[in-house]
Amino acid sequence: MIELWIPITIAAAFCQNLRSALQKHLTSKLSTSGATFIRFFYAILPAWLYVWFLHDGIGLTMPEPQPVFWIYAAVGGATQIAATALLVYLFAFRNFAVGTTYSKTETVQAAVFGIVILGDPLTAGAMVAIMISFIGVLAISAAKQATGISGIVRSLTSRTAMIGLASGACFGISAVSYRAASLSLGGEGFLIQAGFTLACVTIMQTVAMASYMRIRDPGQITAALRNWKVAGIVGLSGMAASACWFTAMTIQNAAYVRALGQIELVFTFAASYLFFKEKSSPLELAGIGLVIAGIFFLLLST
């Protein structure tokens, strides 16, 4: 079962890539909050159908959540929304690329929060692997801006860097909280634990987003319903990605899962090269190489 988290995480990264591509298709028809809302709203039905299949189809016992589950689930859902909002907020700044780069510290921060909140062990080899991949992400980001890596480092105390670090922290807390919520259920196995957690969190996030949009972004709920054909596919692919993320994080340390999940960058790079014939700079290629090296080292260390 320890090895099962690897293909599940890779599947999660692939489905997330697909969801992001479909979500971008709707940006011309929906606002940022509207495009975010559909990933939760249209995932509710598939998520609960998945739980129903695990319960009635396979015969797994439905969990009986305790108060600690609801606390961790609420924290995870809220911090994920906050992390996404901070990431979107960065686009309002001219040097937003610096902030988005620092948001990639999510994996490192998830390792720290995992130790503090759950006492999850982290081997020295795994920590080295995470840092190798992070350096690769830095290289990829630096290749896309004129200032390079030195400019990113010099911007550490800037406002955008602080917002990026806050976004990464929220993503890290969210991942660890989801793992904690799922593990608190106990029961017959990781599938029903992860599926039930996902279904509950999806409802919480939908209610929170709908309440916000009614006040701050009126008309977007109607627009989201109007574009149900594409939005439904976004919700389905997003639910598949989340189900895989939650399942993998129930089995394995959240930091390991998020570190392996950086293979999404490799998928994006491959798609850009194969389908869009985009050329990459030597620094980008070096970054991709480091990400892949970090992933391999991680797998060898766990």
Side-chain angles (χ1 to χ4, degrees):
M1 189 175 71
I2 294 176
E3 300 299 327
L4 186 60
W5 70 276
I6 296 172
I8 292 176
T9 301
I10 294 173
F14 178 81
C15 290
Q16 182 165 299
N17 228 356
L18 176 61
R19 187 209 69 202
S20 297
L22 291 168
Q23 224 170 353
K24 288 179 181 178
H25 179 72
L26 288 171
T27 53
S28 61
K29 301 177 181 178
L30 298 171
S31 67
T32 299
S33 60
T36 303
F37 172 74
I38 62 173
R39 64 180 284 193
F40 302 130
F41 176 72
Y42 285 98
I44 291 177
L45 180 59
W48 281 103
L49 285 175
Y50 175 58
V51 173
W52 171 82
F53 170 75
L54 293 175
H55 177 54
D56 284 8
I58 297 180
L60 298 179
T61 302
M62 192 70 76
E64 297 181 4
Q66 300 300 313
V68 66
F69 167 82
W70 298 111
I71 293 172
Y72 278 126
V75 170
T79 50
Q80 184 182 21
I81 291 176
T84 304
L86 287 168
L87 204 55
V88 171
Y89 179 53
L90 282 171
F91 295 126
F93 295 87
R94 187 169 57 181
N95 58 338
F96 71 89
V98 170
T100 55
T101 298
Y102 280 105
S103 72
K104 300 298 183 182
T105 58
E106 168 202 351
T107 306
V108 179
Q109 296 196 63
V112 175
F113 291 126
I115 294 171
V116 173
I117 297 173
L118 294 175
D120 277 339
L122 193 68
T123 66
M127 197 66 220
V128 170
I130 289 172
M131 293 308 299
I132 291 173
S133 291
F134 177 62
I135 292 171
V137 172
L138 278 179
I140 295 169
S141 300
K144 297 178 180 179
Q145 49 186 315
T147 57
I149 292 179
S150 61
I152 293 175
V153 175
R154 288 196 303 270
S155 301
L156 177 59
T157 57
S158 68
R159 185 180 181 185
T160 50
M162 293 298 103
I163 295 172
L165 287 169
S167 176
C170 287
F171 275 127
I173 293 171
S174 176
V176 174
S177 296
Y178 287 152
R179 173 168 164 78
S182 188
L183 291 176
S184 74
L185 293 173
E188 295 186 343
F190 60 90
L191 286 176
I192 193 70
Q193 289 173 297
F196 184 81
T197 303
L198 169 62
C200 291
V201 169
T202 301
I203 289 179
M204 291 179 179
Q205 291 176 315
T206 300
V207 171
M209 284 295 300
S211 301
Y212 169 82
M213 290 165 61
R214 285 285 295 176
I215 300 172
R216 299 297 300 272
D217 206 357
Q220 281 301 299
I221 294 179
T222 302
L225 294 173
R226 190 183 303 120
N227 290 279
W228 64 270
K229 290 183 179 179
V230 178
I233 300 174
V234 171
L236 184 60
S237 59
M239 175 268 163
S242 295
C244 290
W245 286 126
F246 278 53
T247 302
M249 287 189 290
T250 302
I251 300 172
Q252 183 56 279
N253 186 318
Y256 293 0
V257 173
R258 298 308 295 172
L260 177 57
Q262 288 178 337
I263 198 171
E264 180 187 357
L265 295 172
V266 180
F267 292 152
T268 302
F269 171 80
S272 298
Y273 178 78
L274 295 174
F275 300 112
F276 301 107
K277 307 301 179 183
E278 295 180 358
K279 294 184 178 180
S280 300
S281 68
L283 189 56
E284 278 183 296
L285 293 173
I288 288 294
L290 285 170
V291 169
I292 294 173
I295 288 172
F296 275 118
F297 196 33
L298 174 70
L299 299 180
L300 291 172
S301 303
T302 55

